[in-house]
Amino acid sequence: MEDSHGVDQTPAEVKAGLDALKAVQSSAGPPKNDPESIEERLQKAREDRDKTSSKTALEKKKELRKQFALLMDKAAEHGQKGETSKAEDIYRGILAKDPDHVEAARLLAKIATEHKAYRDAEVFLQRVVKNAPD
């Protein structure tokens, strides 16, 4: 049997060559354009992206907590000086960035109660109960 280069090969040599080719292909894994291979690579890319984005989200959350802690301290100082409107502004600013911030909502409820704004106090307390039911 003659191959494409004009070389004579016996059927046994052709079979041996095909077997060797199959062995190389199977050890190399699926071809790069194989749909299964593409799906696996896409899944890995998604997982890598999720790890990176969740890490970034976690870092952002930690940074926000630090900022909120500083703001809460500042608001407490204003409250101790009787500057409740300044404290209220800070608490509202925190809730604008994190609507689930329990302590800011609780302290806004306290301020609202002190000003006899009971409906506002109720809304803030409902938020507190929803976000920290324990």
Side-chain angles (χ1 to χ4, degrees):
M1 181 179 277
E2 198 173 286
D3 72 6
S4 61
H5 300 290
V7 177
D8 282 334
Q9 291 183 323
T10 66
E13 290 173 326
V14 171
K15 183 177 180 328
L18 287 174
D19 289 343
L21 180 61
K22 286 178 185 176
V24 169
Q25 287 175 336
S26 67
S27 68
K32 296 296 183 204
N33 62 351
D34 180 4
E36 185 175 325
S37 174
I38 292 169
E39 186 57 40
E40 288 172 359
R41 288 185 292 162
L42 284 173
Q43 183 61 32
K44 184 177 180 337
R46 286 185 200 108
E47 289 169 1
D48 291 346
R49 179 203 61 208
D50 291 346
K51 286 178 188 174
T52 303
S53 64
S54 66
K55 189 175 185 181
T56 304
L58 183 61
E59 289 170 356
K60 287 179 183 178
K61 200 171 208 174
K62 285 181 181 179
E63 183 59 34
L64 272 178
R65 284 185 188 152
K66 288 179 188 177
Q67 290 174 6
F68 290 160
L70 294 172
L71 288 170
M72 293 294 289
D73 290 344
K74 186 85 167 158
E77 290 174 18
H78 287 301
Q80 290 170 351
K81 294 177 188 176
E83 301 170 339
T84 56
S85 65
K86 289 182 181 180
E88 182 179 356
D89 289 343
I90 292 172
Y91 297 137
R92 287 183 183 274
I94 291 170
L95 284 182
K97 292 179 183 173
D98 180 6
D100 299 333
H101 196 283
V102 173
E103 193 63 12
R106 186 187 70 76
L107 292 168
L108 278 170
K110 180 182 177 209
I111 292 170
T113 302
E114 291 169 356
H115 289 104
K116 298 183 185 330
Y118 300 115
R119 178 66 188 127
D120 290 346
E122 180 183 11
V123 169
F124 289 123
L125 288 174
Q126 286 174 344
R127 184 178 289 188
V128 169
V129 171
K130 174 184 162 224
N131 293 318
D134 296 335

